[in-house]
Amino acid sequence: MKFSNSEMLKAMSETGMIPVFNHEDIEIAKGVLDASYSAGIRVFEFTNRATNSLEVFKELCEYASKYEDMVMGIGTIFTIKDANAFLEAGADFIVSPALIPELAVHCNSKNAFWIPGCATMSEIFQAKKLGATLVKAFPGNVVGSAFVAAAKSVYPELHIMPTGGVEPTEENLKEWFDAGVYCVGMGSQLFKKDWIKNQQYDLLEQKIAETLKIIRNI
C-alpha cells in the first residue's frame, strides 16, 4: 500500500473533508481532481456508481500519481470482487454504504483500509469488533448529528465520518464537528451540476477552499 492506515487517517483529520464524486467522463474527473487538490484536498473518494467506474477510476489513479500526497479511495463497494478490482486499480481505501462482515474480513486479510457505513449502535459495535477505526455515519441526513454525539459518548475513541446531507455552510459544519465527527464526506452539496456540466473548475476550487477554511476555523 502507498499509505499506511495512520497516514490516511492523519490526512483525513488534517483536511477535515473528503469530496465524494463520480463521473463517466475521465476528463471531467481529472478536472475535478485537479481543482480539489489545488483547493487543499488530500483525500479523494470516487464512487462505484456507473458502469465504467472501474475504468475511469483506474485512469484517474494513474493521473493522480503526479500528486504524491493524494490519497485515493473508492466508495459504494458491496462485494469482495469489486473490492479486489478497485484495489488492483489503485485504491488506497475502500468505503461501503453498509456494514458487510465478509468484506471487512477480506480487507483485513489484504491489509486494506476499509470504512463501513453504519446507522445504528449495533452496527458500530459490530464494525469495531471487525477492526474498523473509522466508520461512515450514513445516510448523514437521516441519522443526524445527534446520532454521532450519542455514538461518541459510548465509543469516544472511534472516528466517525458522516456522508450524505453534509452542507458546505458554517452552521451545518459546526453542528457536525461539535457532535464529534473526525471528518465529513461531501458530494452533491459541493459539486454543483452546472459547474461540472460547464467545467467551471475555478468555481469548484473556490468553493472547496472556502469550505476547508470554515472547517479549519471550526
Side-chain angles (χ1 to χ4, degrees):
M1 285 296 181
K2 186 177 174 185
F3 302 97
S4 68
N5 289 7
S6 60
E7 286 172 333
M8 287 187 272
L9 281 168
K10 185 169 182 274
M12 292 171 185
S13 173
E14 286 178 348
T15 53
M17 191 260 282
I18 301 174
V20 180
F21 183 74
N22 176 275
H23 206 283
E24 296 179 354
D25 187 328
I26 180 59
E27 295 308 320
I28 288 177
K30 287 177 181 177
V32 167
L33 184 75
D34 284 337
S36 299
Y37 189 87
S38 295
I41 290 296
R42 293 300 179 266
V43 185
F44 191 92
E45 179 187 333
F46 195 74
T47 58
N48 180 30
R49 292 186 180 175
T51 54
N52 69 334
S53 288
L54 179 59
E55 291 77 18
V56 174
F57 182 74
K58 185 175 182 180
E59 193 169 340
L60 189 63
C61 281
E62 291 171 358
Y63 180 76
S65 64
K66 66 179 182 176
Y67 302 125
E68 291 184 359
D69 56 345
M70 179 64 103
V71 181
M72 297 291 291
I74 184 68
T76 322
I77 298 298
F78 288 99
T79 67
I80 291 172
K81 180 182 177 183
D82 282 345
N84 282 337
F86 280 97
L87 286 169
E88 287 177 13
D92 295 310
F93 64 93
I94 299 285
V95 185
S96 296
L99 174 61
I100 306 166
E102 63 268 24
L103 185 59
V105 171
H106 180 74
C107 286
N108 286 338
S109 72
K110 295 277 189 180
N111 199 30
F113 188 40
W114 58 281
I115 303 169
C118 297
T120 68
M121 297 299 279
S122 295
E123 288 176 345
I124 288 178
F125 174 75
Q126 291 299 329
K128 275 181 60 63
K129 272 185 70 175
L130 289 162
T133 52
L134 173 68
V135 301
K136 168 179 167 174
F138 181 79
N141 56 322
V142 175
V143 299
S145 59
F147 171 72
V148 173
K152 289 292 290 184
S153 70
V154 180
Y155 304 113
E157 77 287 352
L158 185 67
H159 302 318
I160 301 176
M161 171 186 72
T163 304
V166 180
E167 301 169 14
T169 65
E170 185 172 0
E171 181 184 13
N172 187 263
L173 288 166
K174 190 174 189 307
E175 180 184 330
W176 285 111
F177 280 94
D178 282 353
V181 301
Y182 190 71
C183 58
V184 296
M186 208 177 299
S188 58
Q189 296 280 352
L190 197 64
F191 300 108
K192 301 299 182 187
K193 288 183 179 178
D194 286 349
W195 295 354
I196 303 302
K197 182 181 177 182
N198 300 321
Q199 299 183 35
Q200 293 173 292
Y201 303 125
D202 55 333
L203 295 179
L204 177 60
E205 181 181 335
Q206 182 181 340
K207 186 65 178 177
I208 294 173
E210 288 172 358
T211 304
L212 292 177
K213 185 177 180 181
I214 290 171
I215 291 171
R216 280 195 301 272
N217 289 339
I218 292 170

